[in-house]
Amino acid sequence: MPQGFHRRALLRGSLAGTVGLGAAAASAAPALPRLESTFSVKTHRLTQLAQFNAHGMSWTVDEDQTRREGAIVFTSDKGAFSLSKRPEAVFDDITPAYLGLALKDICQADADLLADKLLAHGDDPDPDEVRRAAPPAGWNFTRESLWWRMPWTTFVGTTQQGDTMPVFPNGRTRTFRPEHVFPELSGDDNVKRRWEGLLGGWLPAVHKIIETSPTRHYDLLVFADVTATDKLVVQTWHRTIQYDHGKPVKTAFGYSYAPFPPRRVEPTAEAFYEGLLTFAGDWQARLKDQAKLNIPDAALSDMVSHAFAKELMVRPQGVYPKYGVIDRDYFGSEYDGFQDTFTSSVYANLEWGRFDQAKAVLINYFENFVFDDGQINMRGPEVAQFGLTLSLLARYLRYTGDTATLKRFAGKIENTAAILTELHDVALRKPAGDAGFGLLDGWSESDACLHLDPSVWWKPYWNNSAFAVRGWRDIAAVWAVITPDKAGQAADWKSRADTLQAQLIKTLRAHIRHDLTPPYVAILAGATLTHRQAMVESARTKSGNEQGWAHRAYAELLHADVLPDDLAQTVINAVRGHGGTAIGVLANFGPPSDDSRDQLGFISYGYAQQLLRSDRIEEYLLFLHSHRYHSHTPGTWVAGEVTGITGGLPLFCIPAQLTIPKLVRWALVFEASDEDTLWLGRAVPRQWFASEQPITITGAPTRWGPVDLHLQRQGLTLTGDVRLSGETWPSDLRLRLRVPKNMRLAAVTVNGKKAVVEGEDVVIRPQGGPLRIQARLRKG
């Protein structure tokens, strides 16, 4: 090993400026990691890696190097904590391919053949079978297929820097190459057989295992220095271990750049592990406000936390919006004001109690990206997203009680609502015979404005009107709290919401094509072709088509929750039955192809939410598992805006990453839009109850206050604890107990009294104090 150094020595010496550390260790004072266990981690069979002093304590670092999943353990005189590993295969070893179906048939079919097969048994989809429905994302890409993009597969970063650092398949970054010491790792084609994961379950430290022969593999760790003070440059720590026949034979460490001796040399083991300790503590502290989650599927729980960590890395200084990372698409400033980046962030952070982050994002957006007249500082405003913005502002107030922030932007909020009322006025002046009479024209998709003739997409899409209804209705309910002197405006918004909703339902019902099976609903009134037919015609004529981006229209129409259930079900059936889903996730619509059927990763959650409302729970769970396995790369969980099912490398966007947190939250705690109803456990997988492990969420925000839920089955007994901490209760509280299919609820009590049970739903009447639910089960 080259002459080593200890990182703290750098901080005192002339090399500090060279490596970009400065005095960050002293000034940043990152928090100490929470101790996962106290004096209970056994280290006598582990390999000692280093000893050092940090955070006022002496530390010993050990690692289980007998297995690839072996944890790294930090021990001090006050306790110990462990950083686990969970590598996932990033190569295709799945047989039979596509569950035995032909790829051409899957792609060409109107029906979602893979979804049909996964749901055919009538029970919850099996997560592992869902995983095996298609090869892993990011496995089978070629450099040529990426066009202008670099072939990075994941990235690391910090909260304080203004950029991120790409990590490539062999573990290199744009500034450091492990193949300098280990030439066998050169070239991405030599590292096809690899596993990837995150250290500590969800921490943004990339762990790779690269197998180069049956007897040799390399174990790599890459993470960003959380104490670095650079404005843009991301400093990175690296460790590479060569294993022969399962035993470590060579270890090398790196920091950001190749050595330039004698002034820049390879760091010591002590420096690396102190950096790792500080890194873990810093990230744990940044997510300490997240509602606590303990579910049998630990990886799914970790995906929730990792999504919030990724958002902090993507946003410069943790706040400023970026749609993507690294490449100009989508890191360019022209995307910064994208409405979906704002709404997806506020939504996810609110649902998990991350109120400070939601507030920071809200203030940044309304200060920098909303003009006084309500328009946004970005090309191509999306009509429906104005409505979603208003709805989320109302949710923010109900969850946080932060009236001051919304008062600060009251004028901009009022004008956001006015953009929709102006469009509504125009809609009401259309001729009565116009197919889109009374419905809001406008762009549904931001990209429409970039085309030669944007008027092709200036149309009365259903979602424009649906989210105008939702936005007006929700903001009207809290407007008197924000601006008491203008409370009268709320009455106009409520009236418009009722008028527009009635017109939307009437027109939509009149335009259902019952001549098709299942009945078909186009994305706007007056359309005569299905979206697949329209896209084939558009490709043939090389012209724009008004049914472009149909996926957005369906997702937002259903998300707004303004349709009666029978009509919402018709829309769902039309989407799923006419080429609109891919392994249960809303598809990125395009003309039929022999080898392409892509999932839409980032706005499709609105479709999933309606599946939940309509009690299509098995389909909701298929969406959840499929998004997890096929809209994310394995292990490091890079979420794609659009992801194919043939193993190509998707293009990352942060709204896609923030989808899983929403889906998991709603499965456990879900609020009705307009009724005084709170659902608990509505989409808990039956497999979780079968495991007999705890199912717990603590501090989940609702408009009635935080809720705690704990469920666990042991044999034929199921117990539950529910606590609402707010001053009011919903008039309708429902707890669903989705026990395994071979069991039934025999008797249920709430606080010792016989409960009202409807199927699997325990109906709880309003009452104060904690609730204790006890259920006796029977087989059969």
Side-chain angles (χ1 to χ4, degrees):
M1 179 179 293
Q3 178 186 354
F5 65 76
H6 195 282
R7 178 174 162 278
R8 287 197 308 277
L10 283 181
L11 298 179
R12 295 191 297 267
S14 61
L15 295 183
T18 305
V19 298
L21 290 174
S27 61
L32 185 68
R34 295 191 304 271
L35 298 180
E36 295 180 4
S37 57
T38 304
F39 301 113
S40 62
V41 177
K42 296 179 181 180
T43 61
H44 64 282
R45 293 184 179 179
L46 306 184
T47 300
Q48 187 175 118
L49 305 176
Q51 290 181 311
F52 59 89
N53 295 320
H55 303 284
M57 287 179 279
S58 297
W59 295 90
T60 299
V61 188
D62 300 271
E63 184 173 16
D64 181 357
Q65 296 189 329
T66 64
R67 55 194 183 98
R68 297 182 178 189
E69 301 80 13
I72 298 175
V73 179
F74 290 80
T75 307
S76 74
D77 57 354
K78 293 186 178 180
F81 74 95
S82 175
L83 294 179
S84 61
K85 300 173 188 169
R86 192 191 297 113
E88 298 179 10
V90 192
F91 54 89
D92 187 11
D93 61 349
I94 300 169
T95 53
Y98 299 106
L99 304 179
L101 301 174
L103 177 62
K104 179 179 178 181
D105 293 342
I106 293 167
C107 296
Q108 287 284 354
D110 281 341
D112 188 343
L113 299 183
L114 288 171
D116 290 347
K117 189 161 188 174
L118 291 164
L119 295 169
H121 47 62
D123 200 352
D124 289 356
D126 173 45
D128 191 58
E129 190 178 14
V130 175
R131 179 187 66 83
R132 290 185 286 105
W139 167 73
N140 194 31
F141 72 93
T142 63
R143 183 68 186 86
E144 292 73 25
S145 69
L146 301 182
W147 296 84
W148 42 265
R149 296 165 53 198
M150 292 186 294
W152 58 272
T153 54
T154 187
F155 61 92
V156 295
T158 67
T159 297
Q160 68 270 23
Q161 262 80 54
D163 204 346
T164 54
M165 178 62 73
V167 180
F168 296 83
N170 71 344
R172 74 185 186 277
T173 68
R174 294 287 284 174
T175 62
F176 183 88
R177 303 183 75 103
E179 59 266 45
H180 288 170
V181 178
F182 302 97
E184 197 174 9
L185 294 177
S186 298
D188 293 339
D189 289 339
N190 297 327
V191 297
K192 288 287 189 181
R193 189 170 177 81
R194 69 183 189 277
W195 293 257
E196 296 188 358
L198 301 166
L199 202 59
W202 61 267
L203 299 173
V206 174
H207 174 226
K208 289 176 178 278
I209 296 170
I210 299 172
E211 191 174 281
T212 57
S213 78
T215 61
R216 175 172 292 177
H217 73 270
Y218 294 86
D219 186 294
L220 296 87
L221 292 176
V222 184
F223 61 94
D225 184 355
V226 296
T227 69
T229 58
D230 308 81
K231 297 295 184 183
L232 292 173
V233 177
V234 177
Q235 307 287 352
T236 52
W237 287 103
H238 303 259
R239 187 193 77 171
T240 305
I241 302 177
Q242 177 183 327
Y243 282 82
D244 287 346
H245 300 283
K247 297 184 181 300
V249 297
K250 184 178 181 181
T251 301
F253 298 96
Y255 184 84
S256 296
Y257 310 118
F260 189 97
R263 296 209 166 209
R264 177 185 289 156
V265 292
E266 183 180 284
T268 63
E270 290 77 13
F272 176 86
Y273 292 112
E274 182 183 340
L276 182 57
L277 171 73
T278 303
F279 162 89
D282 182 74
W283 278 106
Q284 288 185 355
R286 292 188 187 280
L287 266 66
K288 66 182 179 181
D289 58 349
Q290 178 193 313
K292 303 303 180 288
L293 181 65
N294 181 19
I295 55 178
D297 192 336
L300 195 58
S301 175
D302 285 336
M303 288 187 82
V304 173
S305 297
H306 183 68
F308 292 121
K310 261 206 172 74
E311 184 192 24
L312 292 176
M313 291 191 294
V314 168
R315 288 178 172 266
Q317 290 74 55
V319 175
Y320 189 86
K322 287 291 178 182
Y323 185 58
V325 294
I326 301 161
D327 303 305
R328 179 75 197 192
D329 281 348
Y330 294 141
F331 189 68
S333 59
E334 64 270 24
Y335 297 97
D336 294 351
F338 193 40
Q339 290 157 292
D340 299 77
T341 304
F342 169 71
T343 54
S344 65
S345 174
V346 172
Y347 212 153
N349 281 287
L350 284 178
E351 295 289 60
W352 284 93
R354 290 179 48 78
F355 296 158
D356 289 345
Q357 178 68 7
K359 179 178 180 178
V361 168
L362 192 161
I363 291 174
N364 175 275
Y365 191 75
F366 270 80
E367 282 185 342
N368 296 294
F369 298 99
V370 180
F371 295 120
D372 288 342
D373 65 356
Q375 266 294 0
I376 61 167
N377 187 12
M378 193 231 181
R379 48 83 171 160
E382 297 164 340
V383 174
Q385 288 289 313
F386 286 119
L388 178 55
T389 294
L390 294 173
S391 178
L392 289 174
L393 294 175
R395 184 178 295 257
Y396 175 83
L397 182 58
R398 284 171 165 157
Y399 279 12
T400 68
D402 178 16
T403 308
T405 296
L406 298 191
K407 283 182 179 293
R408 175 178 168 185
F409 300 114
K412 292 183 176 183
I413 297 170
E414 178 183 354
N415 280 324
T416 299
I419 289 174
L420 300 176
T421 62
E422 290 165 1
L423 293 173
H424 190 218
D425 289 340
V426 173
L428 293 172
R429 291 195 294 268
K430 294 178 183 177
D434 191 307
F437 170 78
L439 302 180
L440 274 61
D441 290 323
W443 293 322
S444 171
E445 164 62 44
S446 178
D447 289 346
C449 75
L450 298 178
H451 287 257
L452 184 62
D453 183 8
S455 68
V456 171
W457 296 278
W458 191 269
K459 296 290 170 63
Y461 298 106
W462 308 124
N463 54 321
N464 292 349
S465 296
F467 253 129
V469 171
R470 173 55 52 209
W472 284 332
R473 185 166 290 155
D474 289 350
I475 200 66
V478 299
W479 190 241
V481 178
I482 300 171
T483 58
D485 57 325
K486 294 186 177 181
Q489 289 177 312
D492 178 58
W493 293 336
K494 290 178 184 178
S495 175
R496 286 179 181 272
D498 293 342
T499 299
L500 183 54
Q501 182 180 21
Q503 186 65 54
L504 172 66
I505 293 171
K506 176 184 176 181
T507 307
L508 202 156
R509 286 195 189 280
H511 286 82
I512 298 173
R513 288 191 58 182
H514 293 283
D515 59 313
L516 298 178
T517 304
Y520 181 74
V521 180
I523 64 173
L524 77 167
T528 58
L529 301 177
T530 69
H531 60 80
R532 276 192 151 191
Q533 291 170 339
M535 291 180 183
V536 169
E537 178 65 13
S538 178
R540 184 186 68 81
T541 60
K542 294 181 171 54
S543 61
N545 185 280
E546 64 184 8
Q547 293 202 56
W549 309 290
H551 41 256
R552 179 182 286 275
Y554 288 123
E556 293 177 341
L557 167 64
L558 293 170
H559 184 189
D561 191 20
V562 298
L563 302 181
D565 187 63
D566 72 295
L567 197 49
Q569 299 262 19
T570 298
V571 174
I572 291 171
N573 293 337
V575 171
R576 181 173 164 184
H578 292 278
T581 63
I583 323 181
V585 174
L586 192 69
N588 184 62
F589 291 8
S593 162
D594 287 350
D595 57 4
S596 174
R597 190 165 183 139
D598 300 343
Q599 290 188 339
L600 184 72
F602 78 115
I603 55 171
S604 53
Y605 63 86
Y607 174 84
Q609 192 180 87
Q610 186 59 51
L611 291 175
L612 185 63
R613 286 195 207 97
S614 295
D615 254 351
R616 299 170 73 140
I617 304 304
E618 290 82 7
E619 290 174 75
Y620 182 84
L621 291 174
L622 174 58
F623 189 110
L624 170 65
H625 299 318
S626 185
H627 197 286
R628 165 188 178 174
Y629 286 117
H630 301 297
S631 283
H632 291 74
T633 59
T636 52
W637 300 328
V638 176
E641 178 192 53
V642 173
T643 307
I645 61 171
T646 59
L649 186 65
L651 184 61
F652 166 81
C653 77
I654 192 59
Q657 196 80 49
L658 293 170
T659 296
I660 288 292
K662 301 183 190 80
L663 299 177
V664 174
R665 150 64 196 246
W666 297 335
L668 294 163
V669 180
F670 184 70
E671 302 171 51
S673 300
D674 297 314
E675 291 79 35
D676 200 40
T677 302
L678 177 63
W679 282 93
L680 302 178
R682 192 172 188 177
V684 167
R686 298 187 190 280
Q687 188 180 61
W688 293 3
F689 281 115
S691 73
E692 300 196 5
Q693 297 178 50
I695 304 166
T696 303
I697 186 170
T698 306
T702 72
R703 61 180 181 263
W704 302 278
V707 62
D708 301 341
L709 172 67
H710 174 84
L711 301 168
Q712 188 168 11
R713 181 186 74 85
Q714 292 181 310
L716 294 178
T717 300
L718 190 154
T719 59
D721 291 285
V722 176
R723 180 186 294 272
L724 270 76
S725 302
E727 296 180 358
T728 61
W729 278 61
S731 59
D732 187 18
L733 176 62
R734 292 177 174 259
L735 170 63
R736 180 164 295 177
L737 301 176
R738 301 187 74 249
V739 297
K741 278 278 192 174
N742 64 343
M743 296 183 180
R744 297 289 184 271
L745 298 177
V748 181
T749 61
V750 178
N751 288 348
K753 297 180 180 180
K754 184 178 179 180
V756 176
V757 179
E758 299 175 357
E760 293 181 314
D761 298 339
V762 181
V763 183
I764 303 171
R765 303 307 178 195
Q767 54 187 293
L771 303 174
R772 177 73 169 179
I773 296 92
Q774 293 182 303
R776 184 164 48 85
L777 310 178
R778 60 179 174 83
K779 293 287 184 71

